[in-house]
Amino acid sequence: MLPGMLAAAHTLLHPATGLSTLRVVAKTPLADGVCGLTLAAPDGGRLPDWTPGAHLDLLLPGNVNRQYSLCGNRWDPTTYQVAVLREPDGRGGSAYVHDRLRDGDVVGVGGPRNNFPLVPADRYLFVAGGIGITPILPMIAHAELLGTSWTLLYGGRTRASMAFLDRLAAYGDRVLIRPQDEFGLLDLRSALSGAEPGTKVYCCGPGPLLDAIEIICAGLPPGSLRTERFVPKPQGPPVRSTPFDVELARSGVTVPVPPGVSVLTAMAEAGVPVLSSCRQGTCGTCETPVLDGVPDHRDSLLSEAERAAGRSMFVCVSRSCTDRLVLDA
């Protein structure tokens, strides 16, 4: 599913809360500061299928929602695997997973959903920084399955902090491992200089890495680069600082949205709640179709072409350029 396309119904989701529960069946160390979770349905039943690039929402104590990329075997029908980096300056989600979550515990889960899909290409260049390797792993497995040419440039602070090196070793010289303490920052220009026409570049990692690769790839054909961010991309001020109206076509309600109030909040206060998770424009949960008006896109998901088309918006962060927006809600 491409970003900008509306999420299909998720069979894992509870119709009222948007969440189901999965049980932790294994918790394993993967690297310094990284642990892996294997999750299964409490009854051991089949889980919804997923595609490379998909993530799960984990609902942790304190009403903390965190998104983690699926990195296991997508053909395994009964378990999901995610990897969690301990974030010392985070808001407590990763610390809970590392310090308190145990085998047998049950966690709330939403998804899987995919805002970072692998699209067909003649060849792929994958670039991963740190825990950004997680969505790339199933992409590599899929490229292998299709017989598509690919290479991976993978960086991290130290070799010991980089997860899945043993799993990647099987791919030989198609994988370039570049810990920062040994090689410095990733040489993106060198990696991209050898990219042949028809190459799709997929990059996931910390913000500075994504900012740098977006600059370097600016001259490539549109759609050549696809990125996924774990934290929101910095945004400038909204297009307008005055109120606007949102007409909810299916609900027959029009709600005013004053400055400082999100469309998501205004909709909920009007009795038209929308399923949401990150509230930062990074997870894609709250995507809503736009029937009329011009959105002020403030998410970190849509491509420039999708923003220009204006067919949908993420109501947790995006606003309006026009006096009135009409949404299919």
Side-chain angles (χ1 to χ4, degrees), residues 58-325:
L58 263 58
L59 180 63
L60 303 171
N63 201 30
V64 173
N65 254 315
R66 294 292 180 269
Q67 291 76 49
Y68 298 108
S69 297
L70 287 161
C71 57
N73 177 9
R74 61 180 290 234
W75 306 113
D76 180 347
T78 60
T79 65
Y80 292 145
Q81 293 181 11
V82 298
V84 180
L85 171 68
R86 179 188 287 275
E87 296 278 6
D89 300 322
R91 292 173 289 172
S94 67
Y96 180 87
V97 171
H98 276 259
D99 298 337
R100 301 182 63 184
L101 200 62
R102 297 288 183 267
D103 289 3
D105 286 352
V106 172
V107 293
V109 173
R113 59 179 66 87
N114 198 341
N115 302 306
F116 190 42
L118 187 68
V119 300
D122 295 335
R123 58 194 59 82
Y124 298 104
L125 169 59
F126 299 115
V127 180
I131 199 64
I133 190 62
T134 51
I136 301 298
L137 289 172
M139 293 184 180
I140 290 174
H142 192 69
E144 281 285 282
L145 181 66
L146 296 177
T148 305
S149 175
W150 63 270
T151 55
L152 167 67
L153 176 62
Y154 178 22
R157 297 186 312 278
T158 65
R159 196 173 293 268
S161 72
M162 298 169 68
F164 302 109
L165 293 183
D166 53 346
R167 184 165 158 184
L168 292 167
Y171 296 120
D173 60 7
R174 286 180 292 175
V175 175
L176 196 59
I177 304 298
R178 287 293 182 264
Q180 186 174 346
D181 64 337
E182 298 177 31
F183 297 93
L185 296 176
L186 292 179
D187 189 350
L188 299 176
R189 291 194 181 278
S190 176
L192 287 159
S193 66
E196 301 177 36
T199 299
K200 297 286 187 185
V201 182
Y202 277 77
C203 182
C204 186
L209 170 63
L210 300 179
D211 294 340
I213 203 166
E214 285 178 354
I215 292 171
I216 295 171
C217 291
L220 296 180
S224 296
L225 172 66
R226 302 196 76 94
T227 62
E228 181 171 57
R229 292 178 178 266
F230 296 129
V231 296
K233 188 174 183 178
Q235 303 283 342
V239 168
R240 59 186 296 151
S241 58
T242 54
F244 57 92
D245 290 329
V246 173
E247 178 184 339
L248 307 175
R250 283 190 287 111
S251 303
V253 176
T254 297
V255 298
V257 183
V261 175
S262 70
V263 175
L264 179 71
T265 298
M267 292 171 68
E269 291 176 350
V272 188
V274 175
L275 187 65
S276 65
S277 177
C278 72
R279 298 187 177 233
Q280 296 180 312
T282 58
C283 76
T285 308
C286 67
E287 188 173 11
T288 304
V290 177
L291 302 179
D292 195 21
V294 180
D296 175 13
H297 295 291
R298 304 179 60 75
D299 61 90
S300 301
L301 290 163
L302 295 176
S303 68
E304 289 305 315
E306 289 161 344
R307 288 170 181 252
R311 297 190 184 98
S312 69
M313 64 184 286
F314 298 97
V315 294
C316 67
V317 292
S318 295
R319 303 187 67 77
S320 181
C321 298
T322 50
D323 291 339
R324 189 180 188 86
L325 276 178

